[in-house]
Amino acid sequence: MKRKITSKMFDLKLFVSVSKEFLKALLRGHTYNIRENGYVIFGILWGIPVPIVTIGMALYCSGLSPSAETVVNEIVKHPVHLFFLLHPFIFGTVFGAMGTVRDDKERQKEKFEKSLIQNNKMLADANKKLQELDGLKDNFLSMVSHELKTPLTTIQGYITFLKDGKAGDLSEGQWRALKITEEQADYLNNLIGELVDLSRIESGEFSVKLEPTDLTRIAAKVINSLARPFAEKSIITENSLPEKLPLVLADPKRMSQVFTNLLENAVKFTPPGGKITVSACEKEEKVEFCISDTGIGIPGEEIGKIFDRFYQIDSMVERKYGGCGLGLTIIKNIIELHKEGRIWVESEPGRGSRFFFELGKSGELKGKELEKEIGYQTKERSKV
Ligand code: ADP
């Protein structure tokens, strides 16, 4: 049977490269430099016993005592001894070459270590700089969102002031203008709200206040509040939530934000005449909610990215849909702050999307256990 030569038994490539290194070292002065290369002396010392032993044994076998004359005679009689006499030089050369190769390797190692230390230092410096910039960005985000919020609150206050007729009666044209101003102010308010949430998530100050919550009621309220956008696009809304669903441990305000965001997205990405369904089902220890639409759907390769901050599938400047790609990031954070909260999506382009989330039932927890879970859950400082 033919035996296969494996790389463990004989590595031809390694053999060739080692041989090349050795031959190159033979051509270098360092290989023969006794002062710089201690290996040469070591080799010579190893080689000296060879002629002594061979000539000594030859003399002993011939019954001759060792002297300069008998040694010379023996060498003349058997010139093969010349080869043994050369052994200290051969050993010196071989060991010297090995020393040269070893010195080269050491030098390469030192160089590599030095560059590694230098690169590490550069990386640490860059990291420090990035952290500083990150802190600056966090401060900037928090400062800008708060600074934008203040004048906007004033604008919204004056809109209400005008709507209430406190500045006198408004003409039909003024009403229309006021309505558009109000819609745009609300849109801005939502965007600023998302920026504030993002800055809180990034600084670790984002929190939810958990309590036993009836999500059926919250979902119904949100569906009603969005009646106008549904009607404007002739979208049919189906509330398929079961009448009796167990309470879940949740933050009612934040869950209202979750439903609003998912339903607003469903309206945004569903063409006129489509359908949006809100449903839920009870699982062992959790309740699962689903918001499905018959909209444009999401390509498979994008599904993993849509929860990333600022990510939008259509991010062209002249994109068709508004928003800034923060809604899903925020609601993912909200859901994950809840006990065992999880959110995911199933979708296919042209065949609509189904956003699912599940939360733990509060009914399972009693007395002390429930007390422990109720209250604030804060997110650690994180990069979303
Ligand atoms: P925004 O809607 O403000 O752009 P989101 O974080 O809410 O930001 O959504 C991120 C992206 O996910 C959207 O820009 C869109 O590309 C995709 N997306 C979200 N919901 C849907 C949906 N129901 N149908 C299709 N695509 C969606």
Side-chain angles (χ1 to χ4, degrees), residues 265 268-269 293 298 306 311-313 323-325 327-328 353 355:
N265 273 352
K268 192 157 64 172
F269 297 105
D293 62 58
I298 303 164
I306 59 166
Y311 194 82
Q312 297 182 305
I313 296 171
C324 62
L328 289 179
S353 311
F355 281 84

Side-chain angles (χ1 to χ4, degrees), residues 191 194 261-262 265-270 293 295-298 306-308 310-314 319 321-330 347 352-353 355:
L191 284 186
E194 286 186 342
N261 193 289
L262 290 176
N265 273 352
V267 179
K268 192 157 64 172
F269 297 105
T270 301
D293 62 58
I296 58 169
I298 303 164
I306 59 166
F307 291 99
D308 293 349
F310 298 116
Y311 194 82
Q312 297 182 305
I313 296 171
D314 173 23
R319 62 190 205 270
Y321 311 99
C324 62
L326 281 179
L328 289 179
T329 309
I330 293 164
S347 185
S353 311
F355 281 84

